[in-house]
Amino acid sequence: MIDALPLISPAFVVILGGLICGLLPWYGVRKGVSLAAPLLAALLWFNVDQTGVFGAIEAAGFTFETFRFDGLSRIWGLVFILATFLNSVYGLHDRDRLQDSTALVYAGAGLGAVFAGDLLTLFFFWELTAVSSVFLIWASRNPAAFRAGLRYLAIHVLSGVMLLAGSIIFATETGSWAFNEIGLDAPGGLLIFLAFGIKCAFPLLHNWLQDAYPKSTIVGAVILSAFTTKLAVYALARSFAGTEILIYIGAVMTAFPVFFAVIENDLRKVLAYSLNNQLGFMVVGVGVGTGLALNGAAAHAFVHIIYKALLFMSMGAVLHRVGTVKASELGGLYKSMPFTAVFCIIGAMSISAFPLLSGFVAKSLTLAATAQEGHWLVWLVLVFASAGVLEHSGIKIPYFAFFAHDSGKRVQEAPWNMLLAMGLAAFLCVFIGVFPQYLYAILPFDYGYQPYTFDHIVGQMQLLIAAMFAFSLLMRLGLYPAERPSVNLDTDWFYRRVGDGFFRWAWLMSDRLMASIGNRFGAAGRKISGKLFNLFSPAGALSRDVPSGILAIWTSVLLGLVMLIAYFAG
């Protein structure tokens, strides 16, 4: 512990860095701040040598707990700081001040939510993640990204409103704003659960993810993949651990994206579906709720943030150099982007849980906990989903981007900063896989586990080899879905179609209704308007007794609003 450093939340340092970047026109200084902010946040994280609540802020008679440091927030806070630093390195070539600023504010908001000790503090940072992150989508500066950003913002603001409403009900009934175990049966618990579920991309609530992430900027997609959904997993682990329905929700989440990812042509969208799949493993762990299962969810979140960032980085590098990540337009890039190809393969092997890589030592915790509690059907779904991960992320991503048919595209290797960020992420994937004890040492619960057993290694290798054989056979027989330009319809098509029709009908009906009302009451309305004008206008009766009729109008209106608010608030 460094005595000179105060015990304040690392979130404030990162957010402050983002605000400073928004004000600085100098590219070099901004990038220095972007690198320094997560490093200083890391110092603040390492400076805490005990669990507890620090950095409490008293305001309006309420204590905002901004820095709760315990076993759960510790590991999430560390990996969020790591992700912020990797993203800052990866984005060194980018001169967009908007992205420099909002990326740090977004990362800081994620940290603030993780370290929040009460529901009001959580709500503030929860909404800040939504408002700041949408600019990483809009920064693409095209109509598709703008529309996707609006949809993204709407669904996440809705999540925040539900969180606030549930929190108010919970606090009113229990007298506590504590952000701890809540449960579905608690007052407001269902609203809070659904708020977390939206951000976690539960089935049928997931479409914002595949809609927005592929349309974000090259740098934006990397940092978006790290924070929003994993923050939701953290919130579920904090408040709904052991909730049985999460086991089945998570199982569905692991399985259904496999089918969409297989036929998807946009490789960044494939990674977005893969993200849903990986979240499912974490949600199952939270639902099982034992110490081993929660360790599995935390470990999986930690390694997933790193290897998923690596995969998004590699596809971002391809997009940066080639201008597309459509599988039908790529192939043969290993010849001109060999380092990017190697890093992509390491990320692909990690997410597929090859031995000696990070996914192997993390995913097995959840599988073991699920089997240990007797959820054998769910365990089988997770095994199927593990094979699917290898197919769509472990093989499809590197194969169609860098190998497959030769597209004839010859480009430069990725910029040095992108390679450095990918190299650091790849190193962490290997290091954690070879030395898992360092990851296990920071897990929330002290639970002895040994991943490198003979049965586990052999069983996993059999699964991986079978999945590779199936892919090769399907490719050989021409049965694997061809990579062609296409638009794949997800479940959001149904409610977009119905919703669009409903709002068009409602608009038409309201337009006709207002026209009818206007015709019927137009004469009466004009008469009333005339009397009000004679009373309140600058030449009217009220203005004869005061200096300004306009001032009187606004003063009356504002006073009336204040009185109404005071009346109903009381």
Side-chain angles (χ1 to χ4, degrees):
M1 181 175 179
I2 305 173
D3 293 332
L5 289 176
L7 292 174
I8 62 172
S9 173
F12 294 127
V13 173
V14 180
I15 293 173
L16 179 61
L19 296 177
I20 292 173
C21 284
L23 298 174
L24 295 177
W26 306 288
Y27 158 78
V29 179
R30 283 203 315 273
K31 295 305 179 182
V33 172
S34 297
L35 293 172
L39 291 175
L40 183 53
L43 282 178
L44 292 172
W45 183 91
F46 281 107
N47 191 47
V48 184
D49 59 359
Q50 59 183 337
T51 60
V53 177
F54 313 100
I57 298 175
E58 299 281 348
F62 188 86
T63 301
F64 295 90
E65 299 178 357
T66 63
F67 192 18
R68 191 230 327 255
F69 194 85
D70 61 11
L72 202 59
S73 63
R74 176 180 59 184
I75 185 169
W76 254 273
L78 178 59
V79 73
F80 276 10
I81 292 169
L82 277 173
T84 306
F85 179 75
L86 288 173
N87 188 74
S88 294
V89 174
Y90 185 76
L92 283 176
H93 69 284
D94 198 309
R95 294 179 175 272
D96 189 342
R97 192 198 310 186
L98 176 66
Q99 284 193 86
D100 291 342
S101 176
T102 54
L104 284 180
V105 172
Y106 171 52
L111 279 167
V114 162
F115 289 125
D118 63 87
L119 290 168
L120 270 185
T121 304
L122 173 69
F123 166 74
F124 171 77
F125 288 114
W126 194 267
E127 289 292 68
L128 186 57
T129 61
V131 174
S132 55
S133 59
V134 73
F135 290 99
L136 299 171
I137 303 166
W138 285 340
S140 292
R141 296 177 173 85
N142 60 66
F146 177 73
R147 291 192 296 271
L150 287 177
R151 292 189 291 268
Y152 172 93
L153 185 61
I155 194 71
H156 285 280
V157 169
L158 173 63
S159 170
V161 170
M162 294 174 73
L163 171 60
L164 180 61
S167 300
I168 291 173
I169 295 171
F170 179 79
T172 301
E173 295 296 323
T174 65
S176 172
W177 289 91
F179 177 31
N180 290 314
E181 182 179 353
I182 295 174
L184 285 175
D185 294 330
L190 181 59
L191 278 174
I192 297 172
F193 181 80
L194 290 174
F196 295 168
I198 289 173
K199 231 175 181 66
C200 196
F202 279 1
L204 303 182
L205 303 175
H206 68 281
N207 305 104
W208 60 265
L209 199 160
Q210 287 78 31
D211 182 32
Y213 283 19
K215 296 181 180 69
S216 62
T217 64
I218 290 172
V219 177
V222 175
I223 196 162
L224 283 170
S225 72
F227 287 90
T228 297
T229 50
K230 264 64 69 182
L231 170 58
V233 173
Y234 168 83
L236 288 169
R238 174 72 68 185
S239 298
F240 295 95
T243 301
E244 186 176 9
I245 194 174
L246 286 174
I247 301 174
Y248 307 108
I249 291 174
V252 173
M253 290 174 70
T254 63
F256 85 85
V258 173
F259 303 101
F260 287 100
V262 166
I263 61 175
E264 180 56 55
N265 188 43
D266 185 326
L267 295 182
R268 290 211 299 175
K269 197 168 184 178
V270 171
L271 289 177
Y273 277 116
S274 171
L275 206 160
N276 259 123
N277 162 278
Q278 296 290 288
L279 289 168
F281 284 89
M282 304 172 211
V283 171
V284 168
V286 174
V288 173
T290 63
L292 179 61
L294 291 174
N295 276 356
H300 202 150
F302 192 99
V303 301
H304 172 264
I305 285 173
I306 296 170
Y307 60 59
K308 183 63 72 176
L310 176 54
L311 289 168
F312 268 108
M313 286 178 191
S314 62
M315 290 302 98
V318 169
L319 182 60
H320 179 72
R321 288 306 193 198
V322 182
T324 182
V325 284
K326 304 292 186 183
S328 56
E329 301 174 23
L330 298 175
L333 288 178
Y334 76 93
K335 298 176 181 178
S336 51
M337 302 182 73
F339 292 109
T340 302
V342 169
F343 293 142
C344 180
I345 290 171
I346 292 174
M349 293 177 68
S350 296
I351 196 173
S352 303
F354 275 84
L356 301 180
L357 290 166
S358 57
F360 180 82
V361 303
K363 189 181 296 182
S364 57
L365 290 164
T366 301
L367 285 166
T370 304
Q372 191 178 80
E373 295 303 305
H375 299 287
W376 292 107
L377 180 60
V378 173
W379 182 85
L380 287 172
V381 173
L382 297 185
V383 171
F384 161 78
S386 297
V389 170
L390 173 63
E391 192 286 322
H392 62 68
S393 289
I395 299 176
K396 179 173 181 172
I397 294 292
Y399 178 74
F400 285 106
F402 298 101
F403 304 98
H405 64 279
D406 191 341
S407 63
K409 292 180 170 63
R410 298 295 180 264
V411 296
Q412 288 183 310
E413 180 58 277
W416 69 268
N417 61 289
M418 285 186 167
L419 292 175
L420 177 58
M422 287 188 281
L424 290 172
F427 168 77
L428 289 172
C429 289
V430 176
F431 181 84
I432 293 171
V434 176
F435 303 104
Q437 63 270 24
Y438 293 104
L439 172 63
Y440 293 167
I442 59 173
L443 292 177
F445 301 97
D446 186 10
Y447 199 108
Y449 180 77
Q450 175 53 254
Y452 288 107
T453 63
F454 178 79
D455 290 342
H456 183 207
I457 295 172
V458 171
Q460 182 66 11
M461 288 306 302
Q462 287 176 333
L463 178 68
L464 295 172
I465 291 171
M468 288 187 288
F469 175 76
F471 177 84
S472 302
L473 182 63
L474 291 173
M475 289 292 295
R476 183 71 175 175
L477 297 176
L479 298 177
Y480 190 86
E483 303 303 314
R484 58 170 60 96
S486 60
V487 176
N488 296 325
L489 299 179
D490 202 338
T491 54
D492 63 331
W493 181 85
F494 295 99
Y495 57 76
R496 281 200 201 182
R497 184 82 173 185
V498 173
D500 180 67
F502 171 77
F503 282 112
R504 286 178 184 273
W505 174 84
W507 178 264
L508 180 62
M509 290 299 101
S510 64
D511 187 53
R512 291 180 177 178
L513 180 62
M514 293 306 295
S516 176
I517 292 173
N519 291 334
R520 184 175 295 273
F521 297 103
R526 285 190 293 272
K527 185 175 181 179
I528 294 172
S529 297
K531 290 185 177 294
L532 290 174
F533 179 80
N534 291 332
L535 179 64
F536 288 105
S537 72
L542 184 60
S543 297
R544 298 184 190 122
D545 299 319
V546 294
S548 171
I550 296 296
L551 177 62
I553 292 171
W554 286 110
T555 303
S556 300
V557 170
L558 291 174
L559 180 60
L561 288 174
V562 171
M563 293 297 291
L564 285 172
I565 293 171
Y567 174 79
F568 287 108

